[in-house]
Amino acid sequence: MLASFDTYATAETAESLPPFAEVIETHKGMVYSIAWHFLRDRPAAEELAQEVFLQLHRSWSSMKSADHIVFWLRKVASHRAIDHARRLKRRPETSLEEAAEPTTLERVHDTFLSTYLARIVASLPEKQRMVVILRYQEEMEVEEISKALNLKAATVKTLLARAIDLLRTKAERRLGRVEDRSQAARAGTEL
Amino acid sequence: MKRALCAAIFSILTLPCWGAPDEIKFPINFEKLAERAKESVDVTLDASMLRLASGFLSHDDPDEQKVKKLVAKLKGVYVRSFEFDKDGQYSMTDVEALRAQLKGPVWSRIVGARSAKGEVSDVYLKKEGDAIGGLIVIAAEPRELTIVHIDGPINPEELSELGGHMGIPSLDGISKSRSTKRKEED
Amino acid sequence: MSPFEEELRRALKREEPGEDFTAKVLAKIAQENGSIKVERRNILAHLRSLVLGQWQFAPALLFLFVVVSVFGYRQHQQTLRGEAAKEKLLSAMHIAGAELREAQSRVRRIQSPEVVVQ
């Protein structure tokens, strides 16, 4: 149960926090990557990441611990990225169908798979997209994702399952079975 | 479904109202449910807390502005939500004490859905003259119970569109199996 | 994790922003603070001239300082309470909206909903 309001209002003694510049250095990759994988626009991702840290600076007095900072950064970066995408009214699902066929060379070198997967992740509906990014980029558990995105855990699980199905179907339609490709890439053969 | 909801809202607004006790109280045994629950959410925001909270909603965030507009005239927002780790940790008799307060001319049930899996969704609206004066949602699954009480004039349509707030898109088209595991951070 | 999920993890590995990212953030913060500092300096300079020119008002000014400090502390506490209340409100409204939608979709899913219209 939640603490009573008066108890909540009393500021907790924060553990000693790292210097702010160090926090930026440590976590800039995380924040930038959330924005980049979500928006697929590097200048926008960098600007968004900067804004997140500016906001962190303004909220610095309410940070309680290093873990709290990480949670806060992930949560704010996620929400800002989603807000940004909605403001641009970007719905890149059609871009999946327009995605160029990979060349033979690209298939053989399999790095295309990573690029292609990243692109089709960016074409998912916003909520699914962020759930996938937090799960596979940040390796967050369902519970952590549900807290960060203010979603129920069951919703997160459903979104994740559907996203994986969708991504796998689309990837396999374009590139063949992913497991076969992975094995072929490791063996240095072409599919 | 939206049309049915609108028709239901319209029809109850035209019913006569004889006045009834205003205050809805959560049953005392809800405290016992919280002790039994794996996770629980308890939100109690009376009018003064709503005013306080509203003052901190962001001017730049369109979704927070939607919330601000929705709560502008509310007298209170109350949520009790419990998630249990096994079936049978609560029974609907726990909810009956609440339902008993909703019998009478002031409150009308506009949605009552029961599924074979034991899921229950009830939506009640309170009539105040020609307007809606409150809303109660009772949502139950075998391992979860959620009660939402919004006291004051509320637009259910706008409220149900609020899934987009805080940047989270609405949940249209996504079937949900609810298993709330929301634990607010203090 | 399945092979596909491993590929997804590889595809979504973290990347670093530009090299001057930290410097840019710190510069923006300095810019924000600078505009606040100038205002504070002006206010302090003004108060200083008041105090030096009107030393007989020192006790009154001291009293004012105490009052302002207490007020400042209370404001801070109020801010903490307000932010907490805001978070609760947003969560509550989100839950309410979600439960309403769930009720609607449940009625849709159940082919013969018992929609009670009174």
Side-chain angles (χ1 to χ4, degrees):
Chain A
M1 296 287 271
L2 298 173
S4 74
F5 201 65
D6 284 338
T7 309
Y8 184 92
T10 305
E12 291 178 27
T13 306
E15 70 176 47
S16 173
L17 300 176
F20 188 75
E22 191 181 309
V23 168
I24 303 176
E25 277 297 309
T26 306
H27 299 302
K28 62 183 181 178
M30 173 181 79
V31 175
Y32 170 76
S33 298
I34 288 173
W36 158 236
H37 286 135
F38 192 84
L39 299 173
R40 298 297 291 184
D41 177 341
R42 290 199 189 273
E46 184 144 333
E47 194 176 326
L48 192 147
Q50 286 178 21
E51 282 168 18
V52 169
F53 282 105
L54 279 174
Q55 196 177 335
L56 176 66
H57 188 257
R58 292 180 207 119
S59 307
W60 190 246
S61 58
S62 61
M63 293 299 120
K64 294 173 189 156
S65 66
D67 284 347
H68 184 206
I69 291 171
V70 172
F71 172 80
W72 189 99
L73 284 171
R74 283 171 170 165
K75 179 171 178 160
V76 172
S78 304
H79 284 290
R80 280 195 167 241
I82 292 171
D83 282 345
H84 183 93
R86 290 179 77 217
R87 273 197 297 273
L88 295 178
K89 290 184 175 34
R90 198 179 281 171
R91 285 278 299 181
E93 279 188 74
T94 53
S95 70
L96 184 60
E97 307 312 313
E98 293 159 2
E101 285 286 344
T103 64
T104 303
L105 205 62
E106 282 167 330
R107 289 189 205 214
V108 168
H109 284 110
D110 211 58
T111 49
F112 179 80
L113 177 60
S114 282
T115 310
Y116 186 72
L117 282 177
R119 282 172 64 202
I120 57 174
V121 164
S123 72
L124 290 171
E126 288 142 358
K127 199 161 47 178
Q128 274 182 324
R129 198 187 319 167
M130 189 51 80
V131 165
V132 167
I133 289 169
L134 293 181
R135 179 81 183 104
Y136 294 102
Q137 175 192 306
E138 293 303 306
E139 297 183 355
M140 287 165 71
E141 297 299 330
V142 167
E143 262 314 297
E144 294 175 290
I145 297 172
S146 76
K147 282 181 193 173
L149 298 183
N150 287 345
L151 294 174
K152 297 175 182 177
T155 306
V156 171
K157 284 179 197 167
T158 305
L159 288 172
L160 212 44
R162 286 174 175 223
I164 297 303
D165 276 345
L166 187 64
L167 291 170
R168 188 199 296 269
T169 305
K170 287 185 189 287
E172 287 179 354
R173 200 187 304 151
R174 291 281 172 163
L175 305 173
R177 276 175 55 80
V178 172
E179 288 81 357
D180 294 342
R181 288 181 51 75
S182 297
Q183 283 166 13
R186 279 192 289 276
T189 59
E190 181 183 331
L191 278 177
Chain B
M1 178 55 211
K2 266 196 175 173
R3 219 182 291 169
L5 188 63
C6 290
I9 294 167
F10 177 76
S11 64
I12 65 133
L13 288 178
T14 57
L15 287 173
C17 169
W18 290 279
D22 271 350
E23 221 178 305
I24 296 292
K25 296 207 185 303
F26 286 113
I28 198 88
N29 58 352
F30 272 21
E31 289 178 18
K32 291 204 174 60
L33 288 186
E35 287 163 21
R36 254 181 270 153
K38 183 169 61 166
E39 298 280 350
S40 65
V41 173
D42 181 335
V43 176
T44 299
L45 296 167
D46 61 14
S48 63
M49 290 306 301
L50 284 176
R51 298 292 89 74
L52 178 66
S54 200
F56 284 82
L57 291 168
S58 165
H59 295 294
D60 301 325
D61 189 315
D63 299 306
E64 290 191 19
Q65 284 302 300
K66 276 187 208 164
V67 171
K68 187 167 186 151
K69 189 181 148 211
L70 267 173
V71 307
K73 293 179 183 162
L74 294 186
K75 298 177 219 167
V77 172
Y78 311 95
V79 175
R80 300 287 184 274
S81 185
F82 311 98
E83 186 187 351
F84 307 96
D85 54 18
K86 52 188 176 191
D87 295 6
Q89 293 293 293
Y90 78 96
S91 76
M92 287 313 281
T93 51
D94 291 322
V95 181
E96 281 314 311
L98 178 65
R99 281 196 213 279
Q101 299 175 65
L102 305 178
K103 291 188 163 86
V106 174
W107 286 93
S108 297
R109 190 173 70 157
I110 60 157
V111 170
R114 277 110 181 88
S115 79
K117 287 185 267 183
E119 297 162 336
V120 170
S121 287
D122 290 332
V123 180
Y124 292 81
L125 291 183
K126 179 182 175 186
K127 200 173 97 63
E128 280 182 354
D130 292 334
I132 296 171
L135 175 143
I136 286 182
V137 179
I138 299 173
E141 287 183 1
R143 294 188 189 186
E144 185 184 332
L145 176 64
T146 297
I147 316 287
V148 175
H149 175 205
I150 295 182
D151 185 11
I154 186 74
N155 184 326
E157 288 292 325
E158 283 179 11
L159 179 59
S160 71
E161 284 164 16
L162 252 193
H165 89 257
M166 291 201 68
I168 307 298
S170 73
L171 300 173
D172 281 345
I174 295 175
S175 76
K176 298 158 48 176
S177 65
R178 282 183 307 111
S179 174
T180 305
K181 206 170 192 276
R182 179 184 303 281
K183 189 176 180 184
E184 288 185 330
E185 279 198 351
D186 282 334
Chain C
M1 234 179 232
S2 68
F4 181 77
E5 287 175 284
E6 285 294 341
E7 290 293 346
L8 208 43
R9 222 162 51 91
R10 265 193 283 276
L12 294 176
K13 68 180 188 301
R14 284 186 190 172
E15 296 183 33
E16 293 294 312
E19 273 176 15
D20 54 352
F21 179 86
T22 302
K24 280 182 185 166
V25 173
L26 294 174
K28 283 188 177 175
I29 289 169
Q31 200 174 26
E32 263 188 18
N33 286 348
S35 54
I36 295 168
K37 271 189 189 146
V38 165
E39 215 178 293
R40 246 187 242 149
R41 266 203 296 274
N42 290 342
I43 291 168
L44 281 174
H46 186 63
L47 278 175
R48 212 178 295 130
S49 69
L50 267 180
V51 170
L52 291 176
Q54 312 283 338
W55 58 268
Q56 61 269 39
F57 293 118
L61 284 170
L62 181 63
F63 174 73
L64 193 64
F65 173 77
V66 168
V67 166
V68 165
S69 296
V70 167
F71 179 73
Y73 173 74
R74 283 198 184 150
Q75 280 293 102
H76 175 67
Q77 291 295 94
Q78 184 80 336
T79 301
L80 283 177
R81 277 195 283 269
E83 288 290 342
K86 171 190 145 179
E87 291 301 318
K88 288 190 188 187
L89 173 61
L90 291 172
S91 289
M93 297 306 275
H94 178 77
I95 293 173
E99 294 299 351
L100 259 188
R101 285 193 302 280
E102 176 64 12
Q104 288 171 345
S105 71
R106 187 160 283 156
V107 168
R108 273 198 296 271
R109 282 200 306 272
I110 297 167
Q111 289 303 314
S112 51
E114 180 201 314
V115 176
V116 177
V117 176
Q118 296 187 353

